[in-house]
């Protein structure tokens, strides 16, 4: 680490102007949450591998900001040269730079790796001491990164209508109807999942995410796709052309954005004045001019492209594709439900296998019985680790129809590791399974017909009374949120509290959001809506046919962690009344896998909660049994036995 920092500092000193600080964000040119290996610049300079964070290197210091999911992990991974800054507790990066860097300091950043929103926020903070944000002409990290992974050439794949449910022509028509309503003549699309969704294409440029490194520009009459052309077969190219999409080289997006800014990109600019209806006297002229804003999403568009536009002619607002993509069509909803059934079957098969292994290798009492493990291992040369068992889980998924890989790295965590919210086990250092500790696994897969995300927490020995209380409180919150009914217009933060109330009763809580949208064979984390205690600047009300996870948790550092997660679909609620004529909404669970009865303290459940649990478990049995052999069916039957009131 020390030599990387030294090399960067010497580049900062020789830069014109010399840089007082260099910002290294986590994001790639598309502001993605998950990035390809060659874009992991922040990880390369800091050694911290979490998915979110920002590194700041000054002449003498190096600091890393990250959020509550990663505090423990960052402390473990950062070397002595680095200082951890806890988001939400320490000053945010813009305030810290403004307060701690000298007057008129020059602060460098690669403008391709920072969003318009973020860059403008920093610039506002810098005004106080006349500091300036300097756009570096090359990425300084790339210059010192000797063995940077090469760019991979992975093929672009057409996502067939039988899975997409809506044609490209249909999606483009919808989008083009939205442009004039916002006085816009074109939209720059930078988010990888939006490009993939709009053009019904998929790829494998980023692990766990079936996307292609590409930009798109759509105007009233034209559509462009910027991609490394080596990835596009003639077949795919002609399919894109049939939809009026012109394929251009990835790097051409810069010059085309400049052309767009000067109204030279759209094939037919003459049509524009007629689109606004009838010309009366000289109104045409002014209407034409009012219709030439370039629409840019400030959260996903990079500062480099924005800088090529005339700021006065830019419409900075959320991409219209984010919401369109979040509202799943009937084909996507069916696909998601089917994918979750196959996925649930894989999870149950895994639990059956794991239960047997824990008893055979470790003498554990198992999934159903409470008792201390026999303590002695049956054999020294056989052991289960967090990694070997998660590989086994992947194997069960891989045997299912339409499987295309995992949707994120599996979190497979024993005891204290389960308290690390986004723990990622490594083969060399991971823990061995332990019959006397909690085991938490959070995992998901990409199937052609949908993306999955599920978490279960189990114990194969004798859980403590405290662990049971915590598990039951998390379960109560999970049930309360899933059973909520709420009026149209409600946003996620208004519901987040439902999942926390049972934990708050004991003075417990968790440091992450309660839910996120899930894509349709796309990103496992999808906006624009969210269920979180943090008020999002662009929070969108929950709407029918959106997906959202329900995943409260509780984590005790150094001891254990608990999380339960299902994917829900928002549907119309069947309420007796309809106050205010708003229409009411509710959730439908589409994830199927049992909750471990042994971890539940029944004295804490209400009769309604027990009834819900029994009904959910009986559906699990009915829906998953057809995918199982006799032995697995017997296990599932036992795992989903109805609980009596007053159990």
């Amino acid at each position: 680490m020390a030599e990387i920092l030294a090399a960067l500092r010497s580049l900062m000193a020789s830069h014109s102007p010399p840089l007082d600080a260099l910002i290294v964000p986590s994001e790639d040119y598309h502001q993605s949450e998950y990035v390809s290996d060659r874009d992991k610049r922040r990880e390369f300079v800091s050694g911290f591998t979490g998915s979110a964070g920002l590194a700041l290197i000054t002449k003498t210091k190096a600091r890393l900001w990250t959020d509550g999911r990663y505090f423990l992990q960052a402390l473990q991974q950062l070397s002595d040269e680095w200082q951890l800054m806890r988001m939400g507790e320490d000053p945010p990066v813009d305030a810290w730079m403004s307060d701690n860097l000298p007057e008129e300091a020059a602060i460098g950043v690669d403008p391709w790796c920072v969003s318009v929103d973020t860059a403008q926020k920093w610039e506002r903070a810098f005004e106080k001491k006349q500091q300036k944000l300097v756009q570096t002409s090359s990425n300084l990290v790339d210059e010192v990164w000797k063995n940077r992974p090469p760019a991979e050439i992975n093929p672009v794949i057409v996502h067939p209508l039988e899975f997409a449910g809506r044609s490209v022509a249909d999606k483009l028509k919808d989008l083009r109807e939205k442009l004039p309503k916002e006085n816009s003549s074109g939209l720059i699309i930078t988010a990888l999942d939006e490009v993939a969704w709009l053009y019904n294409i998929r790829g494998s440029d980023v692990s766990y995410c079936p996307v292609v490194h590409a930009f798109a520009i759509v105007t009233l009459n034209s559509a462009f796709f910027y991609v490394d052309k080596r990835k596009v077969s003639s077949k795919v190219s002609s399919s894109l052309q049939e939809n009026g999409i012109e394929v251009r080289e990835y790097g051409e997006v810069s010059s085309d954005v400049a052309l767009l800014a000067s109204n030279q990109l759209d094939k037919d600019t003459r049509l524009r004045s007629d689109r606004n209806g009838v010309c009366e006297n000289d109104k045409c002229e002014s209407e034409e001019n009012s219709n030439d804003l370039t629409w840019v999403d400030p959260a996903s568009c990079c500062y480099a492209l924005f800088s090529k536009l005339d700021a006065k002619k830019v419409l900075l607002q959320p991409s219209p594709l984010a919401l369109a993509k979040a509202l799943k069509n009937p084909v996507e909803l069916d696909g998601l439900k089917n994918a979750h059934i196959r996925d649930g079957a894989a999870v149950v098969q895994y639990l059956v296998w794991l239960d047997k292994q824990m008893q055979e290798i470790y003498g554990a009492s198992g999934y159903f019985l409470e008792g201390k493990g026999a303590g002695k291992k049956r054999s020294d040369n056989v052991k289960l680790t967090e990694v070997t068992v998660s590989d086994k889980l992947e194997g069960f998924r891989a045997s299912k129809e339409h499987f295309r890989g995992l949707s994120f790295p599996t979190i497979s965590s024993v005891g204290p590791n389960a308290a690390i919210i986004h723990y990622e086990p490594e083969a060399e250092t991971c823990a061995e399974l332990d019959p006397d500790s909690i085991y938490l696994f959070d995992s998901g897969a990409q199937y052609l017909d949908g993306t999955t995300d599920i978490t279960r927490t189990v114990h194969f020995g004798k859980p403590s009374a405290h662990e049971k209380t915590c598990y039951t409180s998390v379960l109560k919150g999970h049930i309360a949120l899933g059973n909520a009914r709420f009026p149209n217009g409600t946003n996620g933060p208004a519901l987040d509290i439902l999942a926390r109330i049972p934990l708050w009763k004991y003075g417990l809580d968790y440091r992450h959001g309660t839910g996120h949208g899930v894509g349709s064979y796309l990103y496992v984390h999808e906006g624009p809506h969210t269920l979180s205690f943090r008020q999002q600047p662009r929070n969108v009300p929950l709407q029918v046919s959106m997906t959202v996870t329900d995943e409260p948790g509780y984590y005790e550092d150094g001891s254990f962690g608990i999380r339960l997660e299902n994917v829900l679909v928002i549907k119309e609620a069947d309420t007796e009344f309809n106050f205010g004529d708003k229409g009411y909404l509710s959730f439908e669970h589409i994830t199927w896998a049992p909750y471990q009865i042994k971890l539940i303290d029944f004295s804490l459940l209400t009769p309604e909660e027990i009834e819900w649990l029994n009904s959910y478990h009986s559906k699990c049995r009915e829906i998953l049994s057809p995918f199982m052999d006799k032995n697995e069916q017997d296990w599932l039957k036992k795992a989903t036995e109805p609980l009596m009131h007053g159990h």
Side-chain angles (χ1 to χ4, degrees), residues 177-226:
E177 282 167 6
K178 290 183 180 123
L179 293 176
K181 288 183 183 146
E182 302 291 340
N183 295 329
S184 165
S185 56
L187 171 71
I188 302 173
I189 305 157
T190 50
L192 299 181
D193 61 334
E194 291 186 9
V195 176
W197 178 84
L198 180 65
Y199 288 166
N200 282 350
I201 51 148
R202 299 291 189 271
S204 52
D205 284 352
V206 181
S207 303
Y208 312 105
C209 308
V211 293
V212 181
H213 282 136
F215 294 97
I217 294 177
V218 175
T219 64
L220 291 169
N221 312 292
S222 321
F224 303 91
F225 179 51
Y226 301 89

Side-chain angles (χ1 to χ4, degrees), residues 9 60 93 144 212 216 228 326 368 382 441 449 502 562 585 612 635:
R9 286 183 176 127
T60 56
V93 66
V144 303
V212 181
D228 183 327
F368 299 108
V382 188
F441 62 106
D449 52 352
I562 294 160
L585 304 176
W612 181 85
W635 187 96

Side-chain angles (χ1 to χ4, degrees), residues 591-604:
T591 300
W592 303 107
Y595 305 96
Q596 191 178 20
I597 290 166
K598 180 167 92 174
L599 269 168
I600 300 172
D601 176 346
F602 291 97
S603 67
L604 301 176

